[in-house]
Amino acid sequence: MAETTAALPPGRRVRLRLDRDGIIKRLFMGVIALYLIAALALPLYAMLSKSFVTYGFDLARYEFQVSDETGTVWSEPVTAEALNADLGAVPADDLRSSSDGRLSATVFFPDFSFRSPVKYRLRGTTGDAPWLVGLDLKNTTDWQEYDSNTFRRINLRPVKSVGVQNYAEYFSNPTLFSSIQNSLYIAVISTVLTVVFAFGFAYAINRSCMPFKGAFRMIAMMPILVPSLLPGIALIYLFGNQGMLKSLLMGQSIYGPLGIVIGSVFFTFPHALIIISTALSIADQRQYEAAESLRASKWRTFWTVTIPGARYGLISAAFVTFTLVITDFGLPKVIGGQYNVLAIDIYKQVIGQQNFEMGAVVSVILLIPAVLAFLVDRQVQKKQVSLLSARSVPYQPRPDRRFEALCLAWCGVMAVFIVGIIAICQYAALIRFWPYDLSLSLKNYAFDRMDGGGWAAYWNSIKLALMTAGIGTVVIFTGAYMVEKIDGFKTGRGLFQFLAMLPMAVPGMVLGLAYIFFFNNPANPLHFIYGTMIILVISTVTHFYTVGHLTALTALKQIDAEFEPVASSLRQPFYKLFARVTVPVCLPAILDISIYLFVNAMTTVSAVVFIYSTHTALASIAVLNMDDAGDIAPAAAMGMMIFYTNAGARILHALASRRILNRTQAWRLR
């Protein structure tokens, strides 16, 4: 007889009860998630909303009456729209306006004279029909009477509406639309060149036995220490209208795409090199031995083993470089000339024309390629598989004098290019008056005598960098710890991960403009931080959040997951485990995050160019302002101060790291 089993009666679903540590971890993660929402998601939403806002003069909202010369007999009410239809005083295109537009009421009365005894009445036909009497704002449906002398001071104000007119206007303007093509063209050319040059450099470092590898690595990282404006200044001194090597261009101008591409290769080179070098450093010697045993040529081995093994690194480097170039503002501003790109369009619309709505439109357009590049890169990274197994043999390059000489020549050329750009900037900073007085002097370092913010801007940058490194490291590492070490809570962790990855896809200028719309709103309870150092710290930490978050996650994933259950079984709160185990073990990553934030806070331009104030001007902004004022040599001097500060910080970081790690990481050597 078949054995039967009785089914258990249905009951309530069993759920694990959260302990105190679980609740505290969720609260910490929630607080940092709220920070990311307030510092990133809400400003981006405000900017996106602003891009659909249009302003224009709705003449049907206003009615006028005119008296006779005695001021007792009044004409029939007539709308401004009807008057304009008869007179054609204001063309339809001129009715579009910015939020601060003004339209004089006198344009609808060709016989107007402010000395006339004639009086005028004005009212709104709807509840939203604002006008100005001098500086006093009026908005009423009741008749308001004015004499002629007062009437000449009346200006109609635009009204707000929502629609896609801004986007239609942008794409219908050939000059503005060409910026998209220019940006894509510059980004693609720069990306191809940078990836090729960086691959050759990384290949020489990782796959040859050439000498001076350490020196070449150090030189290759130098562009990270300077703002992107600095190579533009160096190129002006080399190939500008009065440049030392102008004749080498054979009539071509450095002001435009040529200069932007050369400068872009300079400042994106180390970013691509780090990624490609990491990809090339992971290789299995057995694959090359197999190719050699099959008598494959070195060229065939290169295309069938080396390139496929490094393809994900190459793709990632390409997308990172593309994003950096297409979103960069400083270099096109210094050497772009009349060659418009999207980042410059944003600056011109906001600073030059005060057209914040159109600036928001360009920001959204600039955001699209950056987000797409980021998403494609993330998808590529998901497909990457481990190239090394437990049986893998690390690749060891074999001595080859001819190949080593070729590698040394390639790295030497790139090193000369990088050192030459920085050396030219230092030379420019010491020359009295280019090109007429080439004697050396320190007068260009007298920043207080020039526009741009003076030495106070430099000290503000030091303050910003220290605050960003300190506060940012704590926030980023704490957030990464909470999201990595929380049990369950899959939805919340997924949302946090999305918020943490989002900053990498947002260009600095887009973030800065979004901060204007969000934090400069008086109705925002956080409005009080606008124009202070606090908002600069928040902007910088948010802008560079993702790289620090990924660095922290990488370190945290190396810690055995058994630590938390053991600590829980011993009734030890998680914060003791965090302080006594997690932080000491992850100290190398924590120090890397801090120096990364410090260096980028010193060099950033795009993320702060819209939100600094007179008393929070920064050194990188001072370089921009001095260049705008024609003080190129002092701009180079300030740029070199940023370089030396970052170099000094790197050296101090290396020395401090060695001493601290020797004390806290001795267990790694056992």
Side-chain angles (χ1 to χ4, degrees), residues 124-182:
T125 60
T126 67
D128 184 18
W131 71 86
L132 289 174
V133 183
L135 296 177
D136 296 329
L137 182 64
K138 301 289 184 181
N139 193 351
T140 178
T141 56
D142 297 328
W143 286 110
Q144 302 295 308
E145 187 172 314
Y146 305 101
D147 58 35
S148 294
N149 190 43
T150 304
F151 189 72
R152 67 171 176 169
R153 300 170 56 228
I154 291 179
N155 288 282
L156 308 185
R157 296 283 282 141
V159 292
K160 178 180 176 181
S161 60
V162 177
V164 296
Q165 293 91 333
N166 289 330
Y167 289 91
E169 181 180 347
Y170 179 87
F171 287 106
S172 63
N173 188 324
T175 302
L176 292 175
F177 183 68
S178 65
S179 297
I180 300 177
Q181 298 173 309
N182 293 344

Short mmCIF file of all heavy atoms in Angstrom, two decimals, residues 124-182:
data_model
loop_
_atom_site.label_atom_id
_atom_site.label_comp_id
_atom_site.label_asym_id
_atom_site.label_seq_id
_atom_site.Cartn_x
_atom_site.Cartn_y
_atom_site.Cartn_z
N GLY A 124 -5.51 93.18 -15.86
CA GLY A 124 -5.36 91.84 -16.39
C GLY A 124 -6.71 91.22 -16.66
O GLY A 124 -7.66 91.41 -15.89
N THR A 125 -6.80 90.46 -17.74
CA THR A 125 -8.06 89.76 -18.04
C THR A 125 -8.15 88.43 -17.32
O THR A 125 -9.20 87.81 -17.27
CB THR A 125 -8.19 89.53 -19.55
OG1 THR A 125 -7.09 88.74 -20.00
CG2 THR A 125 -8.20 90.86 -20.31
N THR A 126 -7.01 87.98 -16.78
CA THR A 126 -6.98 86.74 -15.99
C THR A 126 -6.25 87.03 -14.68
O THR A 126 -5.69 88.12 -14.48
CB THR A 126 -6.25 85.61 -16.74
OG1 THR A 126 -4.87 85.95 -16.87
CG2 THR A 126 -6.85 85.39 -18.12
N GLY A 127 -6.24 86.04 -13.82
CA GLY A 127 -5.57 86.23 -12.53
C GLY A 127 -4.06 86.22 -12.62
O GLY A 127 -3.38 86.57 -11.66
N ASP A 128 -3.51 85.81 -13.76
CA ASP A 128 -2.06 85.77 -13.93
C ASP A 128 -1.67 86.64 -15.10
O ASP A 128 -1.52 86.17 -16.24
CB ASP A 128 -1.61 84.32 -14.15
CG ASP A 128 -0.09 84.20 -14.23
OD1 ASP A 128 0.60 85.14 -13.79
OD2 ASP A 128 0.41 83.18 -14.75
N ALA A 129 -1.56 87.94 -14.83
CA ALA A 129 -1.17 88.91 -15.87
C ALA A 129 -0.28 89.96 -15.21
O ALA A 129 -0.71 91.08 -14.93
CB ALA A 129 -2.40 89.54 -16.51
N PRO A 130 0.97 89.61 -14.93
CA PRO A 130 1.84 90.53 -14.18
C PRO A 130 2.40 91.66 -15.05
O PRO A 130 2.61 91.50 -16.24
CB PRO A 130 2.97 89.61 -13.70
CG PRO A 130 3.03 88.54 -14.74
CD PRO A 130 1.62 88.33 -15.22
N TRP A 131 2.62 92.79 -14.41
CA TRP A 131 3.35 93.88 -15.05
C TRP A 131 4.10 94.66 -13.98
O TRP A 131 3.81 94.55 -12.79
CB TRP A 131 2.42 94.79 -15.86
CG TRP A 131 1.48 95.66 -15.07
CD1 TRP A 131 1.71 96.90 -14.54
CD2 TRP A 131 0.12 95.36 -14.72
NE1 TRP A 131 0.61 97.38 -13.91
CE2 TRP A 131 -0.40 96.47 -14.01
CE3 TRP A 131 -0.73 94.28 -14.96
CZ2 TRP A 131 -1.70 96.52 -13.52
CZ3 TRP A 131 -2.03 94.33 -14.48
CH2 TRP A 131 -2.51 95.44 -13.76
N LEU A 132 5.10 95.39 -14.43
CA LEU A 132 5.93 96.18 -13.53
C LEU A 132 5.65 97.66 -13.72
O LEU A 132 5.54 98.14 -14.85
CB LEU A 132 7.42 95.92 -13.80
CG LEU A 132 8.00 94.56 -13.40
CD1 LEU A 132 9.45 94.44 -13.89
CD2 LEU A 132 7.94 94.36 -11.90
N VAL A 133 5.55 98.37 -12.60
CA VAL A 133 5.53 99.83 -12.62
C VAL A 133 6.84 100.25 -11.98
O VAL A 133 6.97 100.30 -10.75
CB VAL A 133 4.33 100.40 -11.84
CG1 VAL A 133 4.32 101.92 -11.96
CG2 VAL A 133 3.03 99.81 -12.36
N GLY A 134 7.83 100.52 -12.80
CA GLY A 134 9.17 100.69 -12.26
C GLY A 134 9.68 99.35 -11.80
O GLY A 134 9.89 98.43 -12.58
N LEU A 135 9.82 99.20 -10.47
CA LEU A 135 10.24 97.92 -9.89
C LEU A 135 9.12 97.26 -9.10
O LEU A 135 9.33 96.19 -8.52
CB LEU A 135 11.45 98.13 -8.97
CG LEU A 135 12.74 98.63 -9.66
CD1 LEU A 135 13.83 98.86 -8.62
CD2 LEU A 135 13.22 97.63 -10.71
N ASP A 136 7.94 97.90 -9.05
CA ASP A 136 6.81 97.35 -8.30
C ASP A 136 6.01 96.40 -9.18
O ASP A 136 5.56 96.78 -10.27
CB ASP A 136 5.91 98.48 -7.78
CG ASP A 136 6.62 99.38 -6.79
OD1 ASP A 136 7.51 98.87 -6.08
OD2 ASP A 136 6.30 100.59 -6.73
N LEU A 137 5.79 95.19 -8.70
CA LEU A 137 5.06 94.18 -9.45
C LEU A 137 3.57 94.31 -9.18
O LEU A 137 3.13 94.39 -8.03
CB LEU A 137 5.53 92.78 -9.07
CG LEU A 137 4.89 91.61 -9.82
CD1 LEU A 137 5.24 91.67 -11.30
CD2 LEU A 137 5.32 90.28 -9.21
N LYS A 138 2.77 94.34 -10.25
CA LYS A 138 1.31 94.39 -10.14
C LYS A 138 0.73 93.16 -10.84
O LYS A 138 1.25 92.70 -11.85
CB LYS A 138 0.75 95.65 -10.81
CG LYS A 138 1.28 96.97 -10.23
CD LYS A 138 0.72 97.22 -8.85
CE LYS A 138 1.17 98.57 -8.31
NZ LYS A 138 0.65 98.83 -6.95
N ASN A 139 -0.36 92.67 -10.30
CA ASN A 139 -1.03 91.51 -10.90
C ASN A 139 -2.48 91.52 -10.41
O ASN A 139 -2.81 90.94 -9.38
CB ASN A 139 -0.34 90.22 -10.50
CG ASN A 139 -0.80 89.03 -11.34
OD1 ASN A 139 -1.75 89.14 -12.11
ND2 ASN A 139 -0.14 87.91 -11.19
N THR A 140 -3.36 92.21 -11.16
CA THR A 140 -4.74 92.37 -10.71
C THR A 140 -5.67 92.48 -11.92
O THR A 140 -5.25 92.88 -13.01
CB THR A 140 -4.89 93.62 -9.83
OG1 THR A 140 -6.25 93.78 -9.45
CG2 THR A 140 -4.42 94.87 -10.56
N THR A 141 -6.94 92.14 -11.70
CA THR A 141 -7.96 92.29 -12.75
C THR A 141 -8.74 93.60 -12.59
O THR A 141 -9.66 93.86 -13.37
CB THR A 141 -8.93 91.11 -12.71
OG1 THR A 141 -9.50 91.01 -11.40
CG2 THR A 141 -8.21 89.81 -13.06
N ASP A 142 -8.37 94.40 -11.60
CA ASP A 142 -9.00 95.71 -11.42
C ASP A 142 -8.23 96.76 -12.22
O ASP A 142 -7.01 96.69 -12.35
CB ASP A 142 -9.00 96.11 -9.93
CG ASP A 142 -9.81 95.15 -9.08
OD1 ASP A 142 -10.81 94.61 -9.61
OD2 ASP A 142 -9.44 94.92 -7.91
N TRP A 143 -8.98 97.73 -12.74
CA TRP A 143 -8.34 98.79 -13.52
C TRP A 143 -7.38 99.59 -12.65
O TRP A 143 -7.68 99.95 -11.53
CB TRP A 143 -9.39 99.74 -14.11
CG TRP A 143 -10.16 99.18 -15.26
CD1 TRP A 143 -11.46 98.82 -15.27
CD2 TRP A 143 -9.67 98.94 -16.58
NE1 TRP A 143 -11.84 98.35 -16.50
CE2 TRP A 143 -10.76 98.41 -17.34
CE3 TRP A 143 -8.44 99.10 -17.22
CZ2 TRP A 143 -10.63 98.06 -18.68
CZ3 TRP A 143 -8.31 98.75 -18.55
CH2 TRP A 143 -9.41 98.23 -19.26
N GLN A 144 -6.19 99.83 -13.21
CA GLN A 144 -5.19 100.66 -12.55
C GLN A 144 -4.92 101.86 -13.46
O GLN A 144 -4.64 101.70 -14.65
CB GLN A 144 -3.89 99.89 -12.33
CG GLN A 144 -4.05 98.61 -11.50
CD GLN A 144 -4.46 98.90 -10.08
OE1 GLN A 144 -3.83 99.71 -9.38
NE2 GLN A 144 -5.56 98.26 -9.63
N GLU A 145 -5.02 103.06 -12.89
CA GLU A 145 -4.90 104.29 -13.69
C GLU A 145 -3.52 104.92 -13.50
O GLU A 145 -3.02 105.01 -12.38
CB GLU A 145 -6.00 105.27 -13.26
CG GLU A 145 -6.08 106.51 -14.15
CD GLU A 145 -7.30 107.37 -13.81
OE1 GLU A 145 -8.40 106.81 -13.65
OE2 GLU A 145 -7.13 108.60 -13.71
N TYR A 146 -2.95 105.38 -14.64
CA TYR A 146 -1.62 105.97 -14.61
C TYR A 146 -1.58 107.21 -15.49
O TYR A 146 -2.23 107.25 -16.55
CB TYR A 146 -0.56 104.98 -15.12
CG TYR A 146 -0.55 103.65 -14.40
CD1 TYR A 146 -1.15 102.53 -14.97
CD2 TYR A 146 0.04 103.53 -13.15
CE1 TYR A 146 -1.15 101.31 -14.31
CE2 TYR A 146 0.04 102.31 -12.49
CZ TYR A 146 -0.55 101.20 -13.07
OH TYR A 146 -0.56 100.01 -12.41
N ASP A 147 -0.80 108.20 -15.06
CA ASP A 147 -0.57 109.34 -15.94
C ASP A 147 0.51 108.95 -16.95
O ASP A 147 1.15 107.91 -16.84
CB ASP A 147 -0.18 110.59 -15.15
CG ASP A 147 1.08 110.39 -14.30
OD1 ASP A 147 1.99 109.65 -14.74
OD2 ASP A 147 1.15 110.94 -13.18
N SER A 148 0.74 109.82 -17.93
CA SER A 148 1.66 109.47 -19.02
C SER A 148 3.09 109.27 -18.52
O SER A 148 3.81 108.39 -18.99
CB SER A 148 1.64 110.56 -20.10
OG SER A 148 0.38 110.61 -20.72
N ASN A 149 3.51 110.09 -17.57
CA ASN A 149 4.87 109.98 -17.07
C ASN A 149 5.10 108.65 -16.35
O ASN A 149 6.18 108.07 -16.41
CB ASN A 149 5.17 111.15 -16.13
CG ASN A 149 6.64 111.23 -15.78
OD1 ASN A 149 7.51 111.07 -16.64
ND2 ASN A 149 6.94 111.45 -14.50
N THR A 150 4.07 108.17 -15.67
CA THR A 150 4.18 106.87 -14.99
C THR A 150 4.02 105.72 -15.98
O THR A 150 4.68 104.68 -15.86
CB THR A 150 3.11 106.75 -13.89
OG1 THR A 150 3.24 107.85 -12.98
CG2 THR A 150 3.25 105.44 -13.12
N PHE A 151 3.17 105.91 -16.99
CA PHE A 151 2.88 104.84 -17.94
C PHE A 151 4.12 104.42 -18.73
O PHE A 151 4.25 103.26 -19.11
CB PHE A 151 1.78 105.30 -18.91
CG PHE A 151 1.26 104.19 -19.78
CD1 PHE A 151 0.47 103.19 -19.25
CD2 PHE A 151 1.56 104.15 -21.14
CE1 PHE A 151 -0.02 102.17 -20.06
CE2 PHE A 151 1.08 103.13 -21.95
CZ PHE A 151 0.29 102.14 -21.40
N ARG A 152 5.04 105.36 -18.93
CA ARG A 152 6.25 105.00 -19.69
C ARG A 152 7.16 104.05 -18.90
O ARG A 152 8.06 103.45 -19.47
CB ARG A 152 7.03 106.26 -20.06
CG ARG A 152 7.65 107.00 -18.88
CD ARG A 152 8.57 108.10 -19.35
NE ARG A 152 9.11 108.88 -18.24
CZ ARG A 152 10.11 109.76 -18.38
NH1 ARG A 152 10.65 109.95 -19.57
NH2 ARG A 152 10.54 110.45 -17.35
N ARG A 153 6.90 103.90 -17.60
CA ARG A 153 7.71 103.01 -16.75
C ARG A 153 7.08 101.63 -16.61
O ARG A 153 7.58 100.79 -15.88
CB ARG A 153 7.89 103.64 -15.37
CG ARG A 153 8.61 104.99 -15.41
CD ARG A 153 8.56 105.71 -14.07
NE ARG A 153 9.11 104.88 -13.01
CZ ARG A 153 8.52 104.67 -11.84
NH1 ARG A 153 7.33 105.23 -11.59
NH2 ARG A 153 9.08 103.92 -10.91
N ILE A 154 5.96 101.40 -17.34
CA ILE A 154 5.26 100.12 -17.22
C ILE A 154 5.82 99.12 -18.23
O ILE A 154 5.96 99.43 -19.42
CB ILE A 154 3.74 100.31 -17.43
CG1 ILE A 154 3.16 101.09 -16.26
CG2 ILE A 154 3.04 98.96 -17.59
CD1 ILE A 154 1.68 101.35 -16.38
N ASN A 155 6.14 97.92 -17.73
CA ASN A 155 6.63 96.82 -18.57
C ASN A 155 5.80 95.58 -18.30
O ASN A 155 5.60 95.20 -17.13
CB ASN A 155 8.10 96.52 -18.28
CG ASN A 155 9.03 97.59 -18.81
OD1 ASN A 155 9.33 97.64 -20.00
ND2 ASN A 155 9.49 98.46 -17.91
N LEU A 156 5.30 94.98 -19.36
CA LEU A 156 4.60 93.71 -19.21
C LEU A 156 5.61 92.61 -18.92
O LEU A 156 6.74 92.64 -19.40
CB LEU A 156 3.81 93.39 -20.48
CG LEU A 156 2.88 94.47 -21.02
CD1 LEU A 156 2.09 93.94 -22.21
CD2 LEU A 156 1.93 94.95 -19.92
N ARG A 157 5.19 91.64 -18.12
CA ARG A 157 6.07 90.54 -17.74
C ARG A 157 5.63 89.25 -18.43
O ARG A 157 4.43 89.04 -18.67
CB ARG A 157 6.06 90.34 -16.23
CG ARG A 157 6.61 91.54 -15.46
CD ARG A 157 8.12 91.56 -15.52
NE ARG A 157 8.67 90.59 -14.59
CZ ARG A 157 9.73 89.83 -14.82
NH1 ARG A 157 10.33 89.89 -15.98
NH2 ARG A 157 10.16 88.98 -13.91
N PRO A 158 6.55 88.38 -18.77
CA PRO A 158 6.17 87.11 -19.41
C PRO A 158 5.48 86.17 -18.43
O PRO A 158 5.66 86.29 -17.21
CB PRO A 158 7.52 86.54 -19.86
CG PRO A 158 8.51 87.14 -18.92
CD PRO A 158 8.01 88.50 -18.58
N VAL A 159 4.71 85.26 -18.96
CA VAL A 159 4.03 84.27 -18.13
C VAL A 159 4.61 82.91 -18.44
O VAL A 159 5.09 82.65 -19.54
CB VAL A 159 2.50 84.28 -18.36
CG1 VAL A 159 1.90 85.58 -17.84
CG2 VAL A 159 2.17 84.09 -19.83
N LYS A 160 4.52 82.05 -17.46
CA LYS A 160 5.12 80.72 -17.54
C LYS A 160 4.17 79.73 -18.20
O LYS A 160 2.96 79.75 -17.95
CB LYS A 160 5.48 80.25 -16.13
CG LYS A 160 6.07 78.87 -16.04
CD LYS A 160 6.37 78.55 -14.57
CE LYS A 160 6.87 77.12 -14.40
NZ LYS A 160 7.14 76.80 -12.97
N SER A 161 4.73 78.85 -19.03
CA SER A 161 3.97 77.75 -19.60
C SER A 161 4.87 76.53 -19.70
O SER A 161 6.08 76.62 -19.52
CB SER A 161 3.42 78.12 -20.99
OG SER A 161 4.48 78.42 -21.88
N VAL A 162 4.29 75.39 -19.96
CA VAL A 162 5.03 74.14 -20.02
C VAL A 162 4.83 73.50 -21.39
O VAL A 162 3.70 73.41 -21.88
CB VAL A 162 4.58 73.17 -18.91
CG1 VAL A 162 5.32 71.84 -19.03
CG2 VAL A 162 4.81 73.78 -17.54
N GLY A 163 5.92 73.08 -21.99
CA GLY A 163 5.84 72.45 -23.31
C GLY A 163 7.22 72.12 -23.84
O GLY A 163 8.24 72.27 -23.15
N VAL A 164 7.28 71.67 -25.07
CA VAL A 164 8.55 71.26 -25.69
C VAL A 164 9.09 72.35 -26.61
O VAL A 164 9.96 72.08 -27.43
CB VAL A 164 8.37 69.95 -26.47
CG1 VAL A 164 8.00 68.81 -25.54
CG2 VAL A 164 7.32 70.12 -27.57
N GLN A 165 8.60 73.58 -26.44
CA GLN A 165 9.04 74.65 -27.34
C GLN A 165 10.54 74.89 -27.25
O GLN A 165 11.18 75.21 -28.25
CB GLN A 165 8.29 75.95 -27.01
CG GLN A 165 6.80 75.91 -27.32
CD GLN A 165 5.99 75.45 -26.12
OE1 GLN A 165 6.49 74.71 -25.27
NE2 GLN A 165 4.75 75.89 -26.05
N ASN A 166 11.12 74.76 -26.05
CA ASN A 166 12.56 74.98 -25.91
C ASN A 166 13.35 73.98 -26.74
O ASN A 166 14.34 74.34 -27.39
CB ASN A 166 12.97 74.86 -24.44
CG ASN A 166 12.48 76.03 -23.61
OD1 ASN A 166 12.34 77.15 -24.11
ND2 ASN A 166 12.21 75.78 -22.33
N TYR A 167 12.93 72.73 -26.72
CA TYR A 167 13.62 71.71 -27.51
C TYR A 167 13.44 71.96 -29.00
O TYR A 167 14.37 71.79 -29.79
CB TYR A 167 13.11 70.31 -27.13
CG TYR A 167 13.54 69.86 -25.76
CD1 TYR A 167 12.74 70.12 -24.65
CD2 TYR A 167 14.73 69.19 -25.58
CE1 TYR A 167 13.14 69.71 -23.38
CE2 TYR A 167 15.13 68.77 -24.32
CZ TYR A 167 14.33 69.04 -23.22
OH TYR A 167 14.73 68.64 -21.97
N ALA A 168 12.23 72.36 -29.39
CA ALA A 168 11.98 72.67 -30.80
C ALA A 168 12.85 73.83 -31.26
O ALA A 168 13.42 73.81 -32.36
CB ALA A 168 10.50 72.98 -31.01
N GLU A 169 12.98 74.85 -30.40
CA GLU A 169 13.80 76.00 -30.74
C GLU A 169 15.27 75.61 -30.85
O GLU A 169 16.00 76.08 -31.73
CB GLU A 169 13.63 77.09 -29.68
CG GLU A 169 14.42 78.35 -29.96
CD GLU A 169 14.22 79.41 -28.90
OE1 GLU A 169 13.29 79.27 -28.07
OE2 GLU A 169 15.00 80.38 -28.89
N TYR A 170 15.71 74.73 -29.94
CA TYR A 170 17.12 74.33 -29.96
C TYR A 170 17.45 73.59 -31.26
O TYR A 170 18.43 73.90 -31.94
CB TYR A 170 17.43 73.44 -28.76
CG TYR A 170 18.87 72.97 -28.73
CD1 TYR A 170 19.85 73.75 -28.14
CD2 TYR A 170 19.25 71.77 -29.31
CE1 TYR A 170 21.17 73.35 -28.13
CE2 TYR A 170 20.57 71.35 -29.30
CZ TYR A 170 21.53 72.14 -28.71
OH TYR A 170 22.83 71.75 -28.71
N PHE A 171 16.63 72.61 -31.61
CA PHE A 171 16.94 71.80 -32.79
C PHE A 171 16.66 72.54 -34.10
O PHE A 171 17.12 72.11 -35.15
CB PHE A 171 16.15 70.49 -32.74
CG PHE A 171 16.67 69.52 -31.72
CD1 PHE A 171 15.98 69.29 -30.55
CD2 PHE A 171 17.86 68.85 -31.93
CE1 PHE A 171 16.46 68.41 -29.60
CE2 PHE A 171 18.35 67.95 -30.99
CZ PHE A 171 17.66 67.73 -29.82
N SER A 172 15.91 73.62 -34.03
CA SER A 172 15.67 74.42 -35.24
C SER A 172 16.74 75.48 -35.44
O SER A 172 16.77 76.14 -36.48
CB SER A 172 14.29 75.08 -35.17
OG SER A 172 14.22 76.00 -34.09
N ASN A 173 17.61 75.65 -34.44
CA ASN A 173 18.69 76.63 -34.55
C ASN A 173 19.94 75.93 -35.06
O ASN A 173 20.55 75.13 -34.34
CB ASN A 173 18.95 77.26 -33.17
CG ASN A 173 19.94 78.42 -33.25
OD1 ASN A 173 20.88 78.41 -34.04
ND2 ASN A 173 19.71 79.43 -32.43
N PRO A 174 20.36 76.19 -36.29
CA PRO A 174 21.51 75.46 -36.86
C PRO A 174 22.78 75.62 -36.05
O PRO A 174 23.57 74.69 -35.91
CB PRO A 174 21.66 76.06 -38.26
CG PRO A 174 20.33 76.67 -38.57
CD PRO A 174 19.78 77.14 -37.25
N THR A 175 22.99 76.82 -35.48
CA THR A 175 24.21 77.07 -34.71
C THR A 175 24.26 76.21 -33.46
O THR A 175 25.28 75.59 -33.14
CB THR A 175 24.30 78.55 -34.34
OG1 THR A 175 24.27 79.35 -35.52
CG2 THR A 175 25.60 78.83 -33.58
N LEU A 176 23.13 76.17 -32.75
CA LEU A 176 23.08 75.36 -31.53
C LEU A 176 23.13 73.88 -31.85
O LEU A 176 23.83 73.11 -31.19
CB LEU A 176 21.81 75.69 -30.74
CG LEU A 176 21.74 77.09 -30.12
CD1 LEU A 176 20.39 77.31 -29.46
CD2 LEU A 176 22.85 77.28 -29.09
N PHE A 177 22.40 73.48 -32.87
CA PHE A 177 22.36 72.05 -33.21
C PHE A 177 23.72 71.54 -33.66
O PHE A 177 24.07 70.38 -33.44
CB PHE A 177 21.31 71.81 -34.31
CG PHE A 177 21.13 70.36 -34.67
CD1 PHE A 177 20.56 69.47 -33.77
CD2 PHE A 177 21.55 69.88 -35.90
CE1 PHE A 177 20.40 68.13 -34.09
CE2 PHE A 177 21.39 68.54 -36.24
CZ PHE A 177 20.80 67.67 -35.32
N SER A 178 24.51 72.39 -34.29
CA SER A 178 25.83 71.97 -34.75
C SER A 178 26.74 71.61 -33.58
O SER A 178 27.72 70.86 -33.75
CB SER A 178 26.49 73.08 -35.58
OG SER A 178 26.75 74.22 -34.79
N SER A 179 26.43 72.12 -32.38
CA SER A 179 27.24 71.80 -31.20
C SER A 179 27.19 70.31 -30.89
O SER A 179 28.17 69.75 -30.38
CB SER A 179 26.76 72.60 -29.99
OG SER A 179 26.92 73.99 -30.20
N ILE A 180 26.06 69.67 -31.17
CA ILE A 180 25.96 68.22 -30.95
C ILE A 180 26.94 67.49 -31.85
O ILE A 180 27.69 66.60 -31.41
CB ILE A 180 24.53 67.73 -31.20
CG1 ILE A 180 23.55 68.43 -30.25
CG2 ILE A 180 24.44 66.22 -31.04
CD1 ILE A 180 22.10 68.05 -30.50
N GLN A 181 26.94 67.85 -33.13
CA GLN A 181 27.86 67.23 -34.08
C GLN A 181 29.32 67.49 -33.69
O GLN A 181 30.16 66.58 -33.74
CB GLN A 181 27.58 67.75 -35.48
CG GLN A 181 26.18 67.42 -36.00
CD GLN A 181 25.89 68.11 -37.33
OE1 GLN A 181 26.07 69.31 -37.47
NE2 GLN A 181 25.43 67.33 -38.30
N ASN A 182 29.60 68.74 -33.30
CA ASN A 182 30.97 69.08 -32.91
C ASN A 182 31.42 68.28 -31.69
O ASN A 182 32.55 67.77 -31.65
CB ASN A 182 31.07 70.58 -32.60
CG ASN A 182 30.88 71.44 -33.83
OD1 ASN A 182 30.97 70.95 -34.96
ND2 ASN A 182 30.62 72.71 -33.63
#
